[in-house]
Amino acid sequence: MEFTFTAKDDNDYTILFDDDGYEISVYKTGQKLGSISLDLRDEDGDWEHYHITHLALDGCKGIGIGQRCLELHKEIFDTPLTAGRSNAGQQNDGSHLTGDGPAFIAIMRKKGIVSP
């Protein structure tokens, strides 16, 4: 699935989703600027959700693209999103948060886009 998003910098970006919801890619004029990887999980057969395992939007951060990617993912796949924590140490699945990740995810949790 492909969407065009006009970011805060007034430029248009293409947001691509794979069919299974495992990968979100962001492009501008054909050049890949970043991606978000997710893993579909089912906790004890009770709670299905997508867990963010890799957040790499350095080429397009601070202009609303990350938030829009996660909002669209929730709308398309109608499944909650979760993310790791910065104080959880290195995770084998890559879901530990580094750099700007903890602050970004905190904002997404506050807005209700990512589950607490």
Side-chain angles (χ1 to χ4, degrees), residues 23-27 31-36 56-60:
E23 189 77 21
I24 306 168
S25 300
V26 177
Y27 294 84
Q31 180 182 354
K32 187 172 183 178
L33 299 178
S35 64
I36 300 173
L57 296 174
D58 289 343
C60 52

Side-chain angles (χ1 to χ4, degrees), residues 32-51:
K32 187 172 183 178
L33 299 178
S35 64
I36 300 173
S37 300
L38 304 101
D39 184 35
L40 183 61
R41 298 183 179 181
D42 189 358
E43 303 295 326
D44 302 320
D46 211 16
W47 187 59
E48 190 174 76
H49 61 280
Y50 282 94
H51 188 72

Side-chain angles (χ1 to χ4, degrees), residues 3 13 23 31 33 37 42 73 89 93-94 97 104-105 108:
F3 298 86
Y13 295 82
E23 189 77 21
Q31 180 182 354
L33 299 178
S37 300
D42 189 358
H73 191 283
D93 65 2
L97 299 174
F104 172 70
I105 292 299
M108 296 302 99

Side-chain angles (χ1 to χ4, degrees), residues 4-38:
T4 300
F5 174 67
T6 303
K8 292 178 186 175
D9 65 358
D10 289 325
N11 286 306
D12 287 339
Y13 295 82
T14 301
I15 301 172
L16 293 175
F17 292 84
D18 71 349
D19 291 337
D20 299 317
Y22 297 132
E23 189 77 21
I24 306 168
S25 300
V26 177
Y27 294 84
K28 179 180 173 195
T29 60
Q31 180 182 354
K32 187 172 183 178
L33 299 178
S35 64
I36 300 173
S37 300
L38 304 101

Side-chain angles (χ1 to χ4, degrees), residues 84-98:
R85 302 210 177 270
S86 58
N87 60 356
Q90 185 88 12
Q91 300 296 306
N92 290 336
D93 65 2
S95 66
H96 51 281
L97 299 174
T98 61

Side-chain angles (χ1 to χ4, degrees), residues 47 80-85 105-106 108-110 112-116:
W47 187 59
L81 296 170
T82 62
R85 302 210 177 270
I105 292 299
M108 296 302 99
R109 285 183 173 128
K110 191 174 189 174
I113 297 167
V114 172
S115 297

